[in-house]
Structure formats: structure tokens, C-alpha cells
Amino acid sequence: MSYLFPNQHVLHQTFGSPLKPGLRYSPAPKATPFQARPELYSAYSVVDDAKNKAQKLSAEAQLELDKASNKVQATAGKQMELYTPTFYAAATFGGLLACELYLTPVAIQGVTHTAMTPLDLVKCRRQVDAKLYKGNFQAWGMILRQEGFRGVFTGWSPTLFGYSAQGAFKYGWYEFFKKKYSDLAGPENSYKYKTVLYLTASASAEFLADLALCPFEAVKVRMQTTIPPPYSGTLDGIRKITGAEGVGGLYKGLYPLWGRQIPYTMMKFASFETIVEMIYERLPGQKSDYGKGAQTAVSFTGGYIAGILCAVVSHPADVLVSKLNANRKAGEGFGAAVARNYKDMGFMGLWNGLPVRIVMIGTLTGLQWMIYDYFKMWMGFPTTGGAAPPEKK
């Protein structure tokens, strides 16, 4: 019955040998009478063939991307300078790309946020009415039966426009303010108080970015929390809101949006930079020793962890944004609306939908940073993560 167990050659091929490394690469012995013949099992050959084709396509795609990247860098100059108009333009477009690629259904990475839209929909509805659904799967089943397949993706259009604009402003302004505040503080203080620098730069960037996001967020929340949705799309929602409430109706949730997004972005950027720096400190070699694949993997890992922290920090304000956009009365003051909603739901109500949001925000934040940093590398700039120590004189 020895044929039931792996022979010495198979063990060495799999695990290697510290004493005789040459055995790991020695040719396989001739087949025994009991050894399976691969040609008789078509499933194995089909899987191997598909795997080889996928690897070949991946290598060809990577080669084409590298060629395009080299062409762009050669056109703009091999050593592209940081903190120039070209750099800020690249950061702005990279931020738009990072937020748009995971939002747009027809984009290459669009599948990710299309898959996340149902989570956002259920999260918002449960924030407004905690008794509406007992769980996510039960919620999706009800929505499918009552509103059809399109109902599961309610609100993707204003999300696309709003978060594309917000992403462009946020990433571009963050790079600008980080450089500006760093120059004001000086190289030594910038490195010594780098976390404070990340926090202030990200807060300043998000303050401006939310001015672009707020109108679209108002349309999205109302579409997702009103059954059936009152608007057929983004433009229809903006037209109806401004017609009934004026332009101020689009900014009804601006203060809680700032309360949600500014802490969220401060945590997103500061924790990401710190986590990535810690990862590279624990890896052998320098950051520059690693290729694009490894660096984008670090970006995704750091982004996912940062996204979890972001979700926890900003969730109470996220609940209030959903509540105020859904039920704030005409002429009601901000403080009065917050007090009324808090009285209705209590402290625990501020955490409705948190597990769903952790999954959603963690994944999306990881993808954002991965796409953004890959685009920066493609343009010839270094990836985000950690400030370099000042040069000693």
C-alpha cells in the first residue's frame, strides 16, 4: 500500500530540503504502475490550461501597462518632480480615478462598488428605520421582490457623480495642503509632528471636497431611504429639490456631512500613512526595493485597515446624515433636528448598520488607495505612505 503515500521525491519537491537543496529540483522518477495518468483526467488539464492562459494574459497586460507608463514618463520627463502643477494635476485625476473606478459599473474596477451599492442601500435604510429589515439577506430579498433588480442598485448615479468630484478635490487638495503645511513647519518639525501634519492637511482638503459632495449626497440618501425612490436619477433629484426647497435643500445635511467626512478623512489619511510606514519598517529592505505589485498590495492592506478605523470613527455622524436628509422638516434648525432624532433613536441608534459599513468602507478604502498609488507609480511618482526623515546637516 506504499503507493497511497507520497514518495521522497514528491516531499522534496513540495517542501524542499535544507540539507540537500538540489533534490528540490531533481527530475521526477518514472511513473509507477499505480500513478495516475493526467491525460485520462481532462479536468486537471482544463484547469491547468486556464491557469496558464490567465497568467499569460496577466503578463501581457502588465507589459502593456509598463510600456504606457514609460511612454508617459518619457513625454513628461523621466524624473517627474513632486509638488509641481503636473504632480497636483496627477493627484487630482488619480483621486477622481480612485473614487470613480470602483463606482462606475462600466469601468474596469466598477464591479467592486456595484457590488457594494446594495450594502450602502440597506445600511442607509436601516439607519433611518432600524425595524425595517431584520438582516441584510432578508433586506435584499424584500427589495428584489418589491422593487426588482434595479432597486438593489438605487442611488448609484448620485454616488458616482458626488464621490468622483469629492475624490478629485480630496486627494488633490490633500497633497497641496500637506506640502503647504510642511513648508510652514519646516523639515524637522514636519517629520517630528507628521501625524499632526496628516490630520490638518486631510481636514482642510475634506472641508472643501464636501462642498462638491453634499448636493449629490442629499439626492442619494433621499433616493435610498424613500420607498419608492422619489427621483428617477441625479439630475431629476437636483431639479426637484431645488424647485421645492431652493439650493439650500441640497446643503441641508452639510454640517453632519462635515461631522462625518472630516473625522473619516483625517483617520483615513493619517492612519494609512502611519500603517504603511509601519509595514515597510517591518519588511526587509527599503520601500524602493519592492515592485509595483508588492507596493500596491501594501497600499490595499493599509487602506483596508484604515477603512475599518474610518467607519467606526465616523459612523454616528453617518447615521445623522441619513436621518436629517430623510426627515429634517422645512425651516427646522440644525440643532433642533439633531436633538429630535437623537431623542427618537438614543445612543445605541447611532450605531445602526455599523457591521455592514465596516465591510463596505474597509473594502472601498483599500481599493481607493490601491488604485490611487498605482496611478501615481504609473505617472512616475512614489506611492503614498510615511514621511522621509529630514537630511542631517
Side-chain angles (χ1 to χ4, degrees), residues 7 21 95 102-103 155-156 172 230-231 282 292 343 349 367 374 378:
N7 58 31
Y102 75 86
L103 288 170
W156 76 268
Y231 318 124
R282 284 159 176 76
K292 292 180 180 179
K343 184 179 179 180
L367 289 172
Y374 192 89
W378 189 77

Side-chain angles (χ1 to χ4, degrees), residues 97-171:
L97 198 66
C99 289
E100 183 175 341
L101 280 180
Y102 75 86
L103 288 170
T104 313
V106 297
I108 297 172
Q109 299 290 337
V111 178
T112 53
H113 192 273
T114 304
M116 290 295 169
T117 302
L119 284 172
D120 188 38
L121 174 65
V122 173
K123 177 208 64 136
C124 287
R125 289 186 176 180
R126 294 184 72 179
Q127 286 174 343
V128 173
D129 185 0
K131 299 178 181 178
L132 185 60
Y133 306 121
K134 295 180 181 179
N136 294 337
F137 291 101
Q138 185 250 2
W140 292 325
M142 288 182 62
I143 295 170
L144 277 171
R145 289 191 298 270
Q146 296 173 3
E147 305 172 44
F149 185 75
R150 290 184 63 183
V152 178
F153 299 95
T154 300
W156 76 268
S157 173
T159 305
L160 165 64
F161 294 117
Y163 283 90
S164 293
Q166 187 229 26
F169 283 114
K170 177 164 62 177
Y171 283 87

Side-chain angles (χ1 to χ4, degrees), residues 176-198 200-201 387 390 393:
F176 173 81
F177 283 120
K178 188 166 71 168
K179 170 64 174 173
K180 190 70 174 178
Y181 296 155
S182 178
D183 290 343
L184 292 174
E188 292 186 3
N189 287 330
S190 295
Y191 183 74
K192 185 178 181 180
Y193 303 106
K194 56 189 174 184
T195 303
V196 177
L197 176 68
Y198 302 148
T200 52
K393 297 181 180 179

Side-chain angles (χ1 to χ4, degrees), residues 11 21 26 50 62 65 116 152 172 183 191 237 242 267 322 365 371:
L11 290 172
S26 60
Q62 184 62 53
L65 281 173
M116 290 295 169
V152 178
D183 290 343
Y191 183 74
T242 54
M267 180 62 73
S322 298
T365 305
I371 295 168

Side-chain angles (χ1 to χ4, degrees), residues 7-91:
N7 58 31
Q8 185 181 17
H9 171 77
V10 173
L11 290 172
H12 279 300
Q13 288 282 34
T14 305
F15 301 104
S17 172
L19 299 177
K20 298 179 180 180
L23 289 175
R24 187 182 179 99
Y25 307 101
S26 60
K30 294 182 179 180
T32 66
F34 304 101
Q35 186 171 340
R37 293 169 58 189
E39 66 270 15
L40 299 179
Y41 300 92
S42 58
Y44 291 110
S45 60
V46 170
V47 171
D48 290 339
D49 185 54
K51 185 191 299 183
N52 293 334
K53 287 182 178 179
Q55 291 175 348
K56 183 179 179 181
L57 288 173
S58 177
E60 290 176 355
Q62 184 62 53
L63 182 62
E64 291 301 320
L65 281 173
D66 290 339
K67 286 181 180 179
S69 177
N70 293 334
K71 187 175 181 180
V72 170
Q73 294 176 39
T75 302
K78 195 65 178 177
Q79 296 295 329
M80 301 185 76
E81 296 183 10
L82 293 171
Y83 311 116
T84 60
T86 303
F87 171 76
Y88 291 125

